[in-house]
Amino acid sequence: RNLRECILMAESSLKQIDARRNHSRKRLEELKKQLLPAQQYAKGKACLYVTGSYGRGEASAHSDLDVFIVGKALQAEASASQLSPLNEICFKAQLIESSRSLGFPEFTDNGRYLIQFTDQSFVKTLGTPEDDVTNIFTARLLLLLESQPLVESTVYKAIVKRVIAKYWRDFADHSGDFLPTFLANDILRLWRTFCVNYEARTERQPDDKKAKGKLKNYKLKHSRLLTCYSALIYLLALVRLNGTVTPQDAIQMVHLSPLHRLEWLLAQSAFAEAHTEVHQLFAQYEKFLATTDRSESAMISLFLDKGKSQELFAEADKFGQCVYNLLAAIGQKHRFLRML
C-alpha cells in the first residue's frame, strides 16, 4: 500500500515537474533563437551553457538566468581563448540584449559573473588553490552537474569530454574496478562550499535580510542538495551495477538533469528495493517546486512568518532524510558508499 501511494504521489508530482520542464524548454528555445547572431563570434571557438533552474529544466516564471562562457584555448598550455577579447564583447552584448528582449531578470551584480573561462583553465587548475579563487571550480562542477548548452553544443560536448578525461585519468589502469573518487570528492567539496558560503555570507539582521537568508537555506536544502547528490547516487548505482564507471558513463550522467538521474534509477530493476525512496523524493521535491513558484518578495514574506518558516524547514529536513535514505539503499554498505 505504501509503495502504491508513493507511486500515485510521484505521478502527481511529475505533472508539476513536466510543467516546469515545458516552461524551461520553451524559454530556452526562445533564447537560442535570439542568440543565433552570436554564433558568428563563437563558432568552433566557445560555448555558452546555462545552469541553475534552467540548467536543471525546472525553471518557473520567476527564475533568473545563470550562464557561463567557456572558450577553447589557443594552445594546449595557454589560458588565452580562441574567442578574442573584442569578439567576446560582441558575444556578451548579444547575450545581454537577447535576455532583456525576452524579459529575463538582469544578470547578477550587473554581469559580475559574465566572464570567459577556457577549457584549459578547467583542467589546469583542477585541485589547485586557484580553482576556488577564480570561480573556475563552480563553473566546472556546474557544467557536469546541471548544465545545458545554448550556443555551440559541439564545443560544449568537447569540453565536457576533456574535463571528464581529466577526472578519469587513471581509468586505463583500473578499467574493471574504477571508482570515480576524484570527481566524487570535488562534488562533495562543491556541496560543502555551498553550505559554508551560506553560513559566512548570510546576514541575520534585520528581519527581512534574515528571511532572505532562510530562503537561500531552503533552496540549498532542496535544489542544491539534489544537484550534488543525484550525481553521487548515480555514480554509486553504476558502481553497484557494473563494478566500475567508464568515462562514457560519466558523460551520460552530465547529459541527465538531477531529476532525470532519479528517473533512470526507476528503470533499473536491480534497485527495485530503492524505488520507494525515489518516489518519496519526487513527492517531496514537488512540494518544494510548488512552494517556490512565487516571486522572491512573496517567498520572503513566507519566511517572515515564524510558523510557516518552521513548517517549510521541516519539509526540507524530510527531503534531506529522503536523499540520505536513497543513498544508503543504493550503497548497501559498498566501500564507495563509505567514501561518500
Side-chain angles (χ1 to χ4, degrees):
R1 180 182 176 182
N2 287 338
L3 177 58
R4 186 165 64 252
E5 289 175 350
C6 287
I7 291 173
L8 289 172
M9 284 191 296
E11 289 175 347
S12 174
S13 70
L14 283 175
K15 293 177 183 177
Q16 300 294 325
I17 291 168
D18 283 344
R20 291 288 191 105
R21 284 174 175 166
N22 289 335
H23 175 79
S24 300
R25 188 181 304 112
K26 179 181 177 182
R27 292 288 277 164
L28 290 182
E29 286 174 356
E30 292 172 344
L31 182 58
K32 286 179 181 179
K33 289 180 181 178
Q34 289 286 330
L35 288 171
L36 285 176
Q39 295 275 1
Q40 61 181 310
Y41 307 111
K43 190 172 180 60
K45 301 174 183 177
C47 70
L48 175 74
Y49 61 88
V50 62
T51 64
S53 58
Y54 278 102
R56 296 189 299 271
E58 57 190 51
S60 74
H62 308 287
S63 298
D64 57 5
L65 200 59
D66 298 307
V67 296
F68 290 95
I69 304 167
V70 184
K72 295 170 70 174
L74 275 171
Q75 299 174 0
E77 299 301 320
S79 59
S81 172
Q82 293 181 22
L83 180 63
S84 68
L86 283 178
N87 281 339
E88 180 183 348
I89 291 171
C90 294
F91 185 83
K92 289 178 181 178
Q94 184 65 48
L95 170 62
I96 295 166
E97 182 181 343
S98 297
S99 65
R100 283 177 172 173
S101 69
L102 291 173
F104 286 100
E106 292 287 90
F107 289 107
T108 304
D109 290 347
N110 289 313
R112 173 186 174 187
Y113 299 105
L114 282 183
I115 58 176
Q116 183 187 181
F117 302 99
T118 67
D119 57 347
Q120 177 63 15
S121 67
F122 270 17
V123 297
K124 187 176 181 180
T125 63
L126 205 160
T128 68
E130 291 80 10
D131 209 15
D132 290 325
V133 176
T134 56
N135 206 38
I136 293 175
F137 171 60
T138 300
R140 183 181 67 246
L141 266 291
L142 292 184
L143 168 75
L144 302 182
L145 297 178
E146 57 168 41
S147 70
Q148 292 189 51
L150 292 175
V151 175
E152 283 298 283
S153 60
T154 301
V155 175
Y156 167 88
K157 291 175 182 177
I159 292 172
V160 167
K161 186 176 181 180
R162 185 178 182 191
V163 172
I164 291 296
K166 182 72 172 182
Y167 281 110
W168 262 252
R169 59 188 182 184
D170 295 326
F171 178 76
D173 295 329
H174 306 278
S175 59
D177 59 354
F178 182 82
L179 297 182
T181 51
F182 193 1
L183 176 59
N185 281 331
D186 248 6
I187 295 172
L188 289 168
R189 181 162 66 117
L190 179 69
W191 165 243
R192 286 162 184 159
T193 298
F194 285 150
C195 294
V196 170
N197 285 348
Y198 164 76
E199 293 294 346
R201 298 175 184 175
T202 302
E203 298 183 52
R204 269 62 177 180
Q205 297 291 337
D207 287 346
D208 60 335
K209 289 189 176 181
K210 183 177 181 180
K212 188 173 183 178
K214 288 182 178 181
L215 171 57
K216 290 181 180 179
N217 195 2
Y218 181 67
K219 292 181 177 180
L220 176 74
K221 291 182 175 183
H222 284 90
S223 53
R224 289 299 200 188
L225 178 65
L226 188 64
T227 286
C228 296
Y229 275 87
S230 65
L232 295 173
I233 289 168
Y234 187 89
L235 294 172
L236 179 59
L238 287 172
V239 170
R240 286 282 319 282
L241 284 173
N242 306 320
T244 188
V245 182
T246 68
Q248 291 73 28
D249 290 332
I251 290 170
Q252 179 61 33
M253 182 199 75
V254 172
H255 296 316
L256 295 175
S257 72
L259 288 174
H260 280 127
R261 291 169 200 147
L262 298 183
E263 290 178 4
W264 173 85
L265 278 176
L266 291 175
Q268 310 305 314
S269 58
F271 299 119
E273 74 281 0
H275 288 177
T276 300
E277 304 295 345
V278 177
H279 288 305
Q280 288 176 340
L281 261 180
F282 273 116
Q284 287 297 126
Y285 204 69
E286 189 276 341
K287 292 181 182 179
F288 164 71
L289 292 179
T291 300
T292 54
D293 194 16
R294 296 173 169 86
S295 66
E296 182 175 284
S297 60
M299 287 299 301
I300 289 173
S301 294
L302 285 180
F303 285 101
L304 284 170
D305 183 324
K306 185 176 181 180
K308 188 61 178 177
S309 177
Q310 290 175 343
E311 179 184 327
L312 290 174
F313 278 114
E315 291 295 330
D317 286 341
K318 286 182 184 178
F319 183 77
Q321 187 63 50
C322 285
V323 173
Y324 173 78
N325 291 344
L326 180 57
L327 186 70
I330 297 297
Q332 292 292 312
K333 300 183 178 180
H334 190 280
R335 69 189 186 97
F336 189 42
L337 175 63
R338 173 177 61 80
M339 296 176 185
L340 301 178

